[in-house]
Amino acid sequence: RKEVEQDPGPFNVPEGATVAFNCTYSNSASQSFFWYRQDCRKEPKLLMSVYSSGNEDGRFTAQLNRASQYISLLIRDSKLSDSATYLCVVNRGSSNTGKLIFGQGTTLQVKP
Amino acid sequence: NAGVTQTPKFRVLKTGQSMTLLCAQDMNHEYMYWYRQDPGMGLRLIHYSVGEGTTAKGEVPDGYNVSRLKKQNFLLGLESAAPSQTSVYFCASSYTAAFSGRALDTGELFFGEGSRLTVL
């Protein structure tokens, strides 16, 4: 089993749709969680961190469920510019070891 | 703002050749990382550094060496390239450990644009 698993998709949705991605992680000691966005043939960029209480940034909402060991990303009112691959990122454990684990990414295609 | 710069952007090597990828950051970050990205695998950590003069192994260090002689530079070396090292390589840096988990300190990773390496 991979340490961080995502449904690779692609998710094809029309403009204006709401779409949700889930990501599961296997290490119960993990403390830090992030969503990164990666455009085609570009570098990843931080989209948002995921906090225990859940957090929202405009049309984007991130949730953490420690009991079930998954995080989610909800995108409301999808735009064409949201088309990208979304990477779930989790630290391997609670110690200071510099080991972030990246999921393989979920690809989103927003259609006109 | 330059941010994180990687050179070269593209390179084709023959099996057994050596090369060095250079990563430079102008943000005075302590932490630097080298990742490789392969289809269906996600980014995997090769080596990282928590400060000038220090390096440590990541998940997939075999076949690679690194050096951090200056705070702003992190070099990735392939001594004898193999076809399995065909990949896209990303350098990243962060001000603090990218895993602190503190609400006011995201430990955001800033990535370079990537270096596409093909080993024939």
Side-chain angles (χ1 to χ4, degrees):
Chain A
R1 181 187 173 189
K2 292 181 180 177
E3 287 191 71
V4 178
E5 290 202 74
Q6 297 181 249
D7 180 347
F11 284 61
N12 294 301
V13 302
E15 271 187 293
T18 295
V19 62
F21 309 135
N22 283 337
C23 166
T24 58
Y25 61 95
S26 61
N27 190 336
S28 59
S30 294
Q31 296 292 326
S32 301
F33 310 91
F34 310 90
W35 284 101
Y36 276 72
R37 170 192 169 130
Q38 185 173 24
D39 293 320
C40 187
R41 300 180 75 84
K42 297 286 190 181
E43 72 274 22
K45 293 183 179 179
L46 179 66
L47 178 65
M48 57 198 306
S49 301
V50 185
Y51 303 129
S52 297
S53 55
N55 47 301
E56 187 174 307
D57 183 3
R59 298 181 292 108
F60 299 84
T61 300
Q63 296 279 351
L64 168 64
N65 185 319
R66 287 191 185 273
S68 300
Q69 294 182 206
Y70 79 82
I71 66 174
S72 64
L73 177 67
L74 181 77
I75 305 175
R76 291 181 299 277
D77 188 23
S78 299
K79 311 290 185 192
L80 294 176
S81 58
D82 293 334
S83 297
T85 296
Y86 292 84
L87 307 175
C88 171
V89 185
V90 177
N91 77 310
R92 178 165 277 167
S94 57
S95 63
N96 186 10
T97 59
K99 294 181 181 177
L100 288 180
I101 308 300
F102 283 74
Q104 66 184 86
T106 297
T107 299
L108 171 66
Q109 287 283 351
V110 181
K111 307 288 188 181
Chain B
N1 292 339
V4 179
T5 303
Q6 293 180 229
T7 53
K9 299 282 192 295
F10 302 91
R11 184 75 186 269
V12 178
L13 288 177
K14 293 181 180 178
T15 298
Q17 286 185 316
S18 64
M19 75 159 295
T20 300
L21 295 175
L22 170 64
C23 177
Q25 53 96 0
D26 62 2
M27 296 175 281
N28 201 35
H29 285 169
E30 289 293 336
Y31 295 77
M32 296 188 75
Y33 315 80
W34 274 107
Y35 288 88
R36 59 177 289 174
Q37 186 174 36
D38 302 293
M41 298 291 290
L43 279 87
R44 291 180 292 168
L45 183 64
I46 304 171
H47 286 281
Y48 65 101
S49 168
V50 301
E52 181 178 314
T54 72
T55 63
K57 293 181 180 180
E59 297 176 78
V60 289
D62 294 341
Y64 305 94
N65 56 75
V66 288
S67 64
R68 182 103 182 265
L69 298 179
K70 294 183 179 180
K71 185 177 182 179
Q72 63 266 35
N73 295 337
F74 195 30
L75 278 63
L76 178 72
L78 286 72
E79 290 187 345
S80 180
S84 60
Q85 293 178 305
T86 293
S87 187
V88 180
Y89 292 85
F90 286 101
C91 176
S93 71
S94 63
Y95 179 65
T96 62
F99 39 78
S100 64
R102 291 177 290 177
L104 296 180
D105 178 8
T106 65
E108 178 180 355
L109 290 177
F110 293 85
F111 285 87
E113 294 182 333
S115 297
R116 296 180 181 278
L117 176 64
T118 301
V119 183
L120 302 175

